[in-house]
């Protein structure tokens, strides 16, 4: 099979790998239909998040069951499924107390990081990490289930309540999902973003959106809110903790969500103590959160959940590329393999024109986005109007 393999920072290549096969009685072989490009994938290629050279990248995946081991009961051949890539052993002390996200045996089990992932034509996983997709859920909604689980985990950790005023730093897919979920509970949610394309997209969905390009983020948000500080700030960028701490109100909470192993910020503990600020890191999601994300995705796929009858989750999927066009997929997110080029001509499905945008404090002043959620399609056959392979 074809698979996209991580060679080292800034380098990945399509290689021929053995097709996925059953190894254990509870294994499931999934024919991968598509995988969302996660910010973590991008950080891996930029050298900002560690991964094992030689690993197949990708983890936000949906597909169709093609083979099952004799012990498998919850899914059958032909089922549409979503992959839960946050593996756990189930028997260490954290797992036994329900904290599967802090399993002590994660080494070698992080799908798309140190265990082969889903930018490939097929993948093998134990049954408990392959979950049926509800009937009628489109491919483009289902591809957001795993990111939705990440968001639910962080929103739960923040204990959002009806009297919270919330600011979300970043209007990428995770930022948009965070704003959506937080808005179901909070008094008001404001999204802050410097990139022109993502600003436009956020304004299509949310009433309170602040352009922070070319200015200090905290000052811009405070000006837009007439000086009212938020009680809760989510940093979905991985590089906004300093701005979040300057922005949040006394007694407030800051949730750090983005992954950037190169970002550091000087922090005096007294700054937290005197102002009563709680700094929250939620880690990966627990096993019990993933099925909640599946159910919520089905709810958000209703015809009244988005503008013009298009479900909110589907609106986040702006570009789809075939596996062999992975360079163009990453270029739509600012350029990794080919610098500052934008999305390529072989995009499939719902590729759209992008507005020119500015930087987001990321890899350099030329960086910009031309997309929200980008999907790499492993399945190259015909698809129906729901985005799934014909006959699936």
């Amino acid at each position: 099979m074809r698979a996209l393999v991580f060679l080292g920072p800034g380098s990945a290549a399509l290689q021929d790998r053995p097709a996925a096969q059953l190894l254990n009685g509870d294994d499931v072989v999934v024919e991968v239909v598509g995988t969302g490009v996660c910010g973590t994938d991008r950080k891996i290629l930029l050298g900002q998040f560690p991964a094992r050279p030689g690993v197949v990248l990708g983890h936000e995946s949906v597909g169709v069951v093609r083979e099952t081991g004799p012990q498998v009961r919850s899914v059958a051949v032909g089922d549409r499924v979503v992959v839960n890539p946050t593996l756990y052993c189930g028997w260490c002390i954290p797992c036994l107390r329900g904290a599967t996200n802090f399993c002590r045996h994660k080494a070698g089990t992080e799908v798309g990081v140190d265990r082969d992932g889903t930018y490939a034509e097929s993948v093998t996983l134990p049954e408990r990490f392959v979950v049926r997709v509800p009937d009628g859920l489109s491919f483009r909604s289902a591809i957001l289930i795993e990111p939705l689980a990440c968001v639910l985990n962080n929103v739960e950790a923040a204990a959002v309540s009806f009297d919270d005023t919330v600011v979300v730093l970043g209007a990428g897919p995770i930022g948009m999902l965070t704003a959506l979920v937080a808005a179901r509970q909070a008094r008001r949610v404001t999204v802050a973003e410097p990139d022109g394309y993502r600003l436009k997209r956020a304004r299509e969905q949310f009433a309170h959106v602040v352009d922070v390009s070319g200015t200090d983020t905290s000052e811009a948000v405070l000006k837009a809110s007439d000086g009212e500080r938020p009680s809760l700030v989510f940093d979905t960028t991985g590089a906004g903790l300093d701005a979040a701490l300057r922005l949040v109100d006394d007694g407030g909470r800051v949730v750090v969500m983005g992954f950037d192993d190169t970002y550091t910020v000087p922090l005096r503990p007294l700054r937290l103590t005197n102002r009563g600020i709680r700094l929250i890191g939620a880690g990966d999601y627990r096993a019990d959160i993933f099925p909640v994300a599946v159910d919520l995705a089905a709810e958000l796929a209703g015809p009244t959940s988005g503008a013009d009858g298009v479900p909110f989750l589907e609106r986040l999927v702006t570009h789809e590329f075939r596996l062999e066009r992975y360079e163009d997929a990453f270029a739509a997110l600012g350029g990794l393999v080919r610098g500052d080029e934008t999305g390529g001509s072989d995009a499939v499905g719902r590729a759209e024109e992008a507005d020119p945008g500015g930087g987001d404090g990321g890899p350099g002043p030329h960086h910009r986005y031309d997309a929200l959620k980008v999907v790499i399609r492993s399945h190259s056959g015909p698809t129906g109007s729901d985005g799934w392979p014909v006959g699936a």
Side-chain angles (χ1 to χ4, degrees):
M1 67 174 182
R2 299 173 305 160
L4 180 60
V5 177
F6 174 60
L7 303 179
S11 182
L14 275 182
Q15 295 182 359
D16 288 329
R17 288 291 183 92
Q21 58 183 332
L22 299 176
L23 301 174
N24 302 297
D26 65 341
D27 278 347
V28 176
V29 174
V30 177
E31 177 190 350
V32 178
V33 174
T35 300
V37 178
C38 176
T40 303
D41 301 326
R42 189 170 175 278
K43 296 290 176 64
I44 288 171
L45 285 169
L46 287 169
Q48 297 172 348
F49 191 81
R52 175 175 62 83
V55 76
V56 177
L57 294 170
H59 61 275
E60 295 180 0
S61 179
V62 295
V64 179
V65 175
R66 288 306 178 214
E67 193 175 0
T68 63
Q71 299 171 15
V72 174
R73 297 291 181 269
S74 64
V75 296
V77 172
D79 283 348
R80 301 174 181 182
V81 294
V82 58
V83 168
N84 176 356
T86 303
L87 307 192
Y88 56 89
C89 72
W91 54 262
C92 69
I93 291 176
C95 283
L96 290 174
R97 69 168 188 258
T100 56
N101 48 331
F102 299 116
C103 174
R104 292 180 180 172
H105 299 95
K106 279 185 172 291
T109 71
E110 296 283 356
V111 174
V113 177
D114 57 12
R115 174 189 173 119
D116 282 344
T118 57
Y119 290 143
E121 294 176 324
S122 58
V123 67
T124 300
L125 287 165
E127 175 184 11
R128 59 181 170 171
F129 303 110
V130 178
V131 182
R132 283 191 70 251
V133 169
D135 293 339
L137 191 64
S138 72
F139 164 81
R140 295 180 187 93
S141 289
I143 205 76
L144 271 299
I145 289 173
E146 197 276 343
L148 192 56
C150 296
V151 166
L152 287 171
N153 183 54
N154 282 270
V155 172
E156 180 186 75
V160 181
S161 66
F162 66 90
D163 61 344
D164 272 319
T165 53
V166 176
V167 170
V168 178
L169 303 183
I174 291 293
M176 296 275 271
L177 288 172
T178 300
L180 173 72
V181 174
R184 294 165 68 95
Q185 300 168 274
R187 176 160 61 95
R188 186 177 72 246
V189 174
T190 299
V191 178
E193 169 63 44
D195 179 74
Y197 177 85
R198 291 185 166 182
L199 277 169
K200 176 183 176 182
R201 290 292 183 168
R203 285 171 173 151
E204 293 171 356
Q205 302 295 334
F206 303 106
H208 304 285
V209 179
V210 179
D211 181 355
V212 296
S213 61
T215 186
D216 180 271
T217 296
S218 60
E219 290 180 2
V221 174
L222 284 174
K223 182 178 180 180
S225 63
D226 294 325
E228 181 183 356
R229 294 183 179 276
S231 59
L232 174 58
V233 180
F234 291 92
D235 171 29
T236 71
T237 71
L241 176 58
D242 180 64
L245 289 171
R246 288 186 285 110
L247 175 61
V248 72
D249 200 2
D250 293 347
R253 295 100 74 205
V254 173
V255 181
V256 183
M257 295 177 64
F259 287 3
D260 186 344
D261 197 41
T262 66
Y263 174 71
T264 60
V265 59
L267 177 62
R268 292 181 296 116
L270 194 61
R271 184 179 185 185
L272 303 181
T273 303
N274 281 351
R275 297 185 57 206
I277 295 172
R278 283 167 284 173
L279 188 57
I280 300 168
D284 291 330
Y285 48 81
R286 302 185 313 273
D288 61 330
I289 286 181
F290 200 81
V292 178
V294 174
D295 291 343
L296 181 56
E299 178 183 332
L300 293 173
T304 61
S305 66
D308 303 323
V310 179
F312 180 92
L313 296 185
E314 287 202 26
R315 293 175 66 85
L316 295 184
V317 180
T318 57
H319 291 63
E320 300 176 27
F321 297 87
R322 302 193 190 282
L323 184 59
E324 61 269 21
R325 307 301 300 181
Y326 69 91
E327 294 183 25
D328 294 311
F330 283 103
L333 292 172
L336 292 170
V337 182
R338 299 190 300 181
D340 192 34
E341 297 180 36
T342 56
S345 60
D346 198 33
V348 300
R350 301 173 60 197
E352 303 174 9
E353 294 297 323
D355 293 335
D360 68 343
H366 66 279
H367 175 66
R368 72 180 193 185
Y369 294 108
D370 290 333
L372 281 176
K373 176 55 67 178
V374 174
V375 173
I376 292 179
R377 285 270 193 172
S378 297
H379 178 83
S380 58
T383 59
S385 59
D386 61 359
W388 293 97
V390 172

